Amino acid sequence: MSSVEQGQAVQSAPAYHTNDRHPAPERISGEAPRMQTDNLTVRYGVSTFGIRDVSMPVFDRRITALIGPSGCGKSTFLRALNRMHDLGADIEVSGAAYLDGENIYQPGVDPVVVRRRVGMVFQKPTPFPTKSIYENVCTGLRLAGIRRKSVLDEAVQKALSDAVLWDEVKDRLKSPGGSLSGGQQQRLCIARALAVEPEVLLMDEPTSSLDPNATMRIEQLIQQLKQQVTIVIVTHNMQQAKRVSDYTAFFYVGEMVELAPTPEIFSSPKQPRTAEYLHGTFS
Amino acid sequence: MTDTVLPALRSRTLVPARYRAPGDRVFKTVVVVLASGIIALALAMAVVIYLEAAPTFRAFGYVSFLTETTWDPVAAIHGALPFILGTLLTSFSALLLAVFPALGVAIFTAEYAPRWLAEIINYTVDLLAAIPSVVIGLWGIFNFAPQIRDAVYMPIYMWALEDAEWLVPIIGAPSTYNFVTATLILALMIVPYTVALSRDAIGQVPKEQREAAWALGATRWEVIRNSVLPYARTGIIAGILLSLARALGETMAVAMLIGNRNRLPFTLFGPAATMPSVIINEFREAVEPLHYSSIMAVGFYLFIVTIGINLLASWIQQKLSLTKGTL
Ligand SMILES: Nc1ncnc2c1ncn2[C@@H]1O[C@H](COP(=O)(O)OP(=O)(O)OP(=O)(O)O)[C@@H](O)[C@H]1O
Ligand SMILES: [Mg+2]
């Protein structure tokens, strides 16, 4: 894409806007958004809305937690941020999602490139079971055309170290990814996503299948990653949202009800529905 | 209430389960009897065939029966090598011809084709598998074999006579029913199996595995190569081996199309024979005891070969099971 087109795309990106459904506290508009959605709507088939008119920023090198009851559209929103919905039949996305000011849904954008810049970690650990640990981490790099052994070696070590897995697997890089424990597999998946140095990392309940110990390690890891990457994390665990995130967005039946700095949303939510939900889950 | 119920419950649960439920024991007995019955039946069959074949083994020896290149019941010479070679060559060549197109079709229907097209293709493939082999043989005899001889084999043979004489002993003078024709038909017959089995294996790959590759910025083909095929490989290989087993045992269409020549050497465009084809062609005329027992001996070796392939299949499957070993 030429710089002229990029310039136009930047211009067409809306300023983070507020309407009655999406109240924006003045303070957070001071931060720089890395991503920004504008009336993002995802429909499954004709009648089911996954999310409806969601407009919210994702701030650069901050951790944004998405909370809300089951089925409220958290995963749907997350997957809309790297065009994973392209893969499903009968899924319709409208509205816009800007990455560095460029709408990832505008015609001519290659979703493969979007996914290289916006990585994803899933709820269930999904290592490629027949590939070795080393090759699992390499997958994204090889897809990007990197062949030099020295470059790959270095990237693998860095990604595995960043994912706090290096010490546990450095002597068995050749063994299959499926031979690790659940928590290790999830960290392997994080390493695999980190290896391609994404700008944004989307995590959908990354710790829900793990024990408290592994959960703690991954939470620490997320905190460290914040230095380099912008993170959006879906969680059902309010304590986790409180512990790790800088911002929290509350979703309810397909709408984004409230986005605020995490301490604020937990201590003094502005929206009655947020208060109700938080009250309900804490009592 | 707790006073009366609890002690009773306790005393009952202390009795080991196997003394309590007669249903378990009955079920177990039935299962064991049925399972061992099937094994015993297979063993009995092997033993009977072996005993019937014994005169041949005594007359020629186990090894020379396998290595003798001539089968001439009139002269009382019985060698199984032509049929063993014929079976292995037709089966493996047919498999080689069938596997890649079949995998291509399976991948295309599972990953690329729009749903309506995939359904049409799958339906057609399943239909092809359901055609009785004798019908395919009939079509081959009256239509395919003569046409392909005139349109393909003859020109090649003529060209070889002129320009590549060294090829002539390999391809041989084209006869209507021959090795290549039988192999092509055999390939056609196993394609639906390979397609259906690898399609199922590909269908078993979890959505999460594909999404994991998509999320790394893989293109469609990269998703297939990095995540779908490796995950499905055990099922695909099992499907290929099952197709091979089917090719080894396929009798009717091959017997109708291979031309039935009972001695080596075979040529590509000349007649040949396989183990099933010689059995089906000669069992009715086997009045000489040695001829009869030699047919049994061929059957016995066919039995051994198919069991061997099946053992190999399960060994490979174990070797390649998901968590063991990387490829
Ligand atoms: N593939 C799909 N086909 C049809 N409807 C879907 C599909 N995926 C999600 N939905 C619907 O969209 C809505 C939002 O689902 P989503 O998975 O985004 O919720 P969620 O907030 O992630 O829930 P959970 O916390 O249980 O993971 C739900 O009503 C759900 O039924
Ligand atoms: Mg979800």
Side-chain angles (χ1 to χ4, degrees):
Chain A
M1 172 156 287
S2 75
S3 55
V4 178
E5 278 173 302
Q6 256 179 8
Q8 283 167 347
V10 172
Q11 271 179 2
S12 66
Y16 175 55
H17 68 263
T18 309
N19 57 31
D20 48 345
R21 269 213 300 263
H22 313 106
E26 230 91 279
R27 245 156 303 148
I28 60 177
S29 53
E31 293 236 39
R34 191 71 193 234
M35 292 192 81
Q36 164 80 55
T37 66
D38 182 24
N39 287 310
L40 194 59
T41 300
V42 177
R43 278 191 304 182
Y44 296 103
V46 241
S47 53
T48 320
F49 280 89
I51 50 171
R52 193 197 289 253
D53 293 331
V54 173
S55 302
M56 69 173 265
V58 174
F59 294 113
D60 190 30
R61 273 167 288 172
R62 295 286 177 270
I63 299 168
T64 305
L66 308 181
I67 61 168
S70 186
C72 66
K74 306 180 294 293
S75 301
T76 303
F77 176 71
L78 200 69
R79 294 162 63 85
L81 294 181
N82 69 343
R83 293 193 59 168
M84 289 298 278
H85 290 304
D86 290 21
L87 310 169
D90 293 336
I91 303 181
E92 203 182 290
V93 182
S94 61
Y98 297 89
L99 172 61
D100 292 337
E102 207 182 328
N103 183 3
I104 61 172
Y105 284 100
Q106 84 196 7
V109 169
D110 183 356
V112 167
V113 176
V114 171
R115 293 186 205 116
R116 281 185 189 166
R117 292 174 59 186
V118 184
M120 190 158 204
V121 173
F122 300 86
Q123 180 171 0
K124 255 172 59 187
T126 52
F128 300 125
T130 60
K131 287 192 184 198
S132 66
I133 293 172
Y134 181 91
E135 281 303 325
N136 258 284
V137 182
C138 277
T139 307
L141 296 166
R142 288 199 193 278
L143 289 177
I146 296 168
R147 294 277 173 277
R148 281 265 300 282
K149 178 103 170 55
S150 56
V151 179
L152 291 176
D153 283 350
E154 199 176 312
V156 167
Q157 175 163 4
K158 179 169 186 306
L160 283 171
S161 308
D162 285 348
V164 215
L165 188 59
W166 176 251
D167 288 332
E168 284 156 77
V169 301
K170 62 170 184 270
D171 300 322
R172 46 190 284 214
L173 292 174
K174 290 262 174 327
S175 47
S179 68
L180 297 172
S181 78
Q184 290 172 327
Q185 287 187 8
Q186 192 62 302
R187 276 177 282 151
L188 178 63
C189 291
I190 294 175
R192 187 175 63 186
L194 289 176
V196 286
E197 300 185 355
E199 295 154 45
V200 182
L201 188 60
L202 311 172
M203 306 176 107
D204 197 347
E205 303 182 43
T207 62
S208 67
S209 60
L210 306 181
D211 68 41
N213 216 357
T215 300
M216 198 188 70
R217 301 207 62 168
I218 288 185
E219 284 182 11
Q220 288 169 347
L221 157 65
I222 293 170
Q223 295 275 343
Q224 286 166 21
L225 290 176
K226 188 169 92 169
Q227 317 293 328
Q228 322 154 30
V229 235
T230 303
I231 293 174
V232 185
I233 177 173
V234 173
T235 178
H236 270 290
N237 181 334
M238 294 306 127
Q239 302 300 339
Q240 183 171 66
K242 251 184 170 171
R243 281 193 298 266
V244 302
S245 70
D246 302 306
Y247 293 94
T248 297
F250 172 63
F251 278 68
Y252 192 75
V253 280
E255 290 177 12
M256 202 279 286
V257 175
E258 183 168 0
L259 168 70
T262 299
E264 257 167 60
I265 207 164
F266 282 102
S267 62
S268 52
K270 300 261 178 328
Q271 297 292 311
R273 277 178 299 179
T274 317
E276 235 167 78
Y277 176 72
L278 290 177
H279 184 73
T281 52
F282 280 124
S283 59
Chain B
M1 192 178 150
T2 37
D3 281 359
T4 54
V5 174
L6 262 183
L9 250 179
R10 262 200 214 111
S11 69
R12 244 187 286 144
T13 49
L14 280 176
V15 182
R18 62 178 175 278
Y19 298 124
R20 254 190 297 136
D24 274 359
R25 255 183 302 166
V26 171
F27 181 72
K28 193 177 162 192
T29 316
V30 169
V31 168
V32 167
V33 166
L34 285 179
S36 47
I38 289 168
I39 295 172
L41 197 67
L43 274 180
M45 219 164 358
V47 167
V48 168
I49 293 176
Y50 175 78
L51 290 178
E52 298 282 307
T56 293
F57 293 136
R58 269 199 301 278
F60 302 104
Y62 294 94
V63 178
S64 4
F65 179 68
L66 281 182
T67 53
E68 170 60 56
T69 58
T70 301
W71 172 276
D72 185 351
V74 180
I77 301 172
H78 295 282
L81 191 61
F83 313 120
I84 290 173
L85 270 184
T87 289
L88 294 180
L89 286 175
T90 49
S91 300
F92 278 96
S93 320
L95 193 67
L96 223 60
L97 286 175
V99 161
F100 292 100
L103 262 183
V105 171
I107 291 174
F108 177 74
T109 54
E111 303 285 328
Y112 286 92
R115 196 172 299 163
W116 62 270
L117 183 59
E119 264 169 34
I120 292 177
I121 294 175
N122 291 342
Y123 188 72
T124 314
V125 165
D126 293 347
L127 207 66
L128 200 59
I131 302 176
S133 70
V134 67
V135 175
I136 294 187
L138 269 182
W139 168 72
I141 280 189
F142 291 113
N143 194 302
F144 180 71
Q147 280 188 16
I148 195 172
R149 183 199 54 191
D150 295 344
V152 180
Y153 305 156
M154 284 316 276
I156 294 180
Y157 183 65
M158 291 310 192
W159 166 81
L161 281 181
E162 297 258 317
D163 295 329
E165 250 182 85
W166 58 273
L167 260 180
V168 173
I170 300 173
I171 60 179
S175 60
T176 312
Y177 308 119
N178 64 41
F179 176 84
V180 171
T181 301
T183 303
L184 288 175
I185 293 291
L186 196 53
L188 181 73
M189 290 176 71
I190 60 178
V191 159
Y193 283 82
T194 323
V195 171
L197 292 165
S198 34
R199 188 180 64 206
D200 290 351
I202 289 172
Q204 300 273 313
V205 177
K207 197 168 130 240
E208 292 85 22
Q209 279 292 318
R210 292 161 202 267
E211 288 188 339
W214 285 118
L216 287 170
T219 61
R220 203 177 262 271
W221 167 244
E222 287 165 344
V223 171
I224 294 171
R225 215 195 51 209
N226 278 287
S227 127
V228 175
L229 290 183
Y231 199 95
R233 69 182 182 191
T234 327
I236 291 175
I237 289 171
I240 289 173
L241 286 163
L242 283 176
S243 308
L244 176 62
R246 183 173 154 82
L248 288 169
E250 174 53 43
T251 309
M252 224 37 234
V254 174
M256 289 163 87
L257 289 167
I258 202 163
N260 302 308
R261 174 189 160 92
N262 290 352
R263 71 184 65 208
L264 292 175
F266 295 148
T267 55
L268 287 177
F269 296 159
T274 64
M275 295 200 264
S277 82
V278 72
I279 295 174
I280 197 88
N281 280 324
E282 298 198 1
F283 77 95
R284 252 181 273 96
E285 310 148 13
V287 280
E288 293 294 323
L290 195 61
H291 189 191
Y292 169 80
S293 69
S294 298
I295 289 175
M296 281 295 177
V298 171
F300 182 73
Y301 280 123
L302 183 58
F303 198 87
I304 303 276
V305 169
T306 42
I307 285 180
I309 294 284
N310 277 307
L311 288 181
L312 183 71
S314 50
W315 180 77
I316 289 179
Q317 254 184 305
Q318 230 173 18
K319 271 306 252 206
L320 292 184
S321 73
L322 274 183
T323 48
K324 280 187 213 150
T326 55
L327 200 74

